[in-house]
Amino acid sequence: MPTEKFTNEPIDIGTLPQFEEIILRKPHPDYWKIICINLILFFVPLAIVTTLLLFFVDDFKAYAILIISVYILILFVSFLLHYIGFKKRGYAVRTKDIIYKSGIISDSTTIVPLNRIQHIELNEAVLSRMYHLGSLQIFTAGGHTGHLNISGIPIAEAKSLRDLLLRKLNLIENLSTDAEA
């Protein structure tokens, strides 16, 4: 029985497919409304507490202009950063993997091979349900760092995507079972 000689040839990196050239699907525009509502749900109670402190605590009254200015600055920066993050998000499903891109200050691109996916969850939060949106959570075999949470997908599309991924996973599983047999 002849033994195969071990080889480990270098790969020409220039011939590899470039994931940067893939056109990514963006979250639905209504997802920005959900982000805004969540920010408002955070900042309105904070404004109420700040206002109460300014009216009833004498130590805060001397710094009212500074406190209000900082509050407005934080509010503006939060909305701006969330908007930039919303615009930079995107995902794509290819025959062998899923690509998810996000990030505000630094871009993060996660590419998950389909054969690493353990299971998929489809989530519809209360606000998302109002806008007929959902999110797909994709759990991988590689631990927490490889998990994806793709939010802002129209629910019908999210269900179709989930079903497509499940079919691909079943196909991969059947091929690996056949190869073992």
Side-chain angles (χ1 to χ4, degrees), residues 109-130:
T109 303
T110 305
I111 301 173
V112 176
L114 295 181
N115 62 355
R116 301 286 293 177
I117 295 175
Q118 297 260 306
H119 70 278
I120 303 165
E121 279 185 22
L122 175 61
N123 296 314
E124 294 179 73
V126 174
L127 290 175
S128 295
R129 205 173 308 131
M130 289 172 42

Side-chain angles (χ1 to χ4, degrees), residues 97-174:
D97 57 29
I98 298 174
I99 300 172
Y100 181 68
K101 184 175 180 181
S102 64
I104 297 171
I105 295 170
S106 64
D107 286 342
S108 172
T109 303
T110 305
I111 301 173
V112 176
L114 295 181
N115 62 355
R116 301 286 293 177
I117 295 175
Q118 297 260 306
H119 70 278
I120 303 165
E121 279 185 22
L122 175 61
N123 296 314
E124 294 179 73
V126 174
L127 290 175
S128 295
R129 205 173 308 131
M130 289 172 42
Y131 289 98
H132 306 288
L133 300 175
S135 65
L136 277 180
Q137 280 190 287
I138 300 168
F139 297 90
T140 63
H144 181 69
T145 57
H147 299 336
L148 293 180
N149 185 15
I150 306 172
S151 301
I153 306 172
I155 196 64
E157 183 180 327
K159 287 178 181 178
S160 295
L161 185 55
R162 178 199 58 195
D163 294 344
L164 170 73
L165 291 172
L166 289 173
R167 282 192 305 274
K168 286 184 175 272
L169 292 175
N170 284 336
L171 182 63
I172 289 170
E173 186 176 313
N174 290 339

Side-chain angles (χ1 to χ4, degrees), residues 40-51:
I40 289 168
L41 290 174
F42 174 78
F43 279 104
V44 166
L46 185 61
I48 292 169
V49 169
T50 303
T51 303

Side-chain angles (χ1 to χ4, degrees), residues 10-18:
I11 297 174
D12 180 11
I13 295 175
T15 62
L16 294 175
Q18 302 298 311

Side-chain angles (χ1 to χ4, degrees), residues 12 51 55 68 70 79-80 83 93 96 103-104 109-110 112 146 152:
D12 180 11
T51 303
F55 275 111
I68 292 170
V70 168
F79 272 89
L80 180 65
Y83 183 74
V93 178
K96 298 186 188 308
I104 297 171
T109 303
T110 305
V112 176

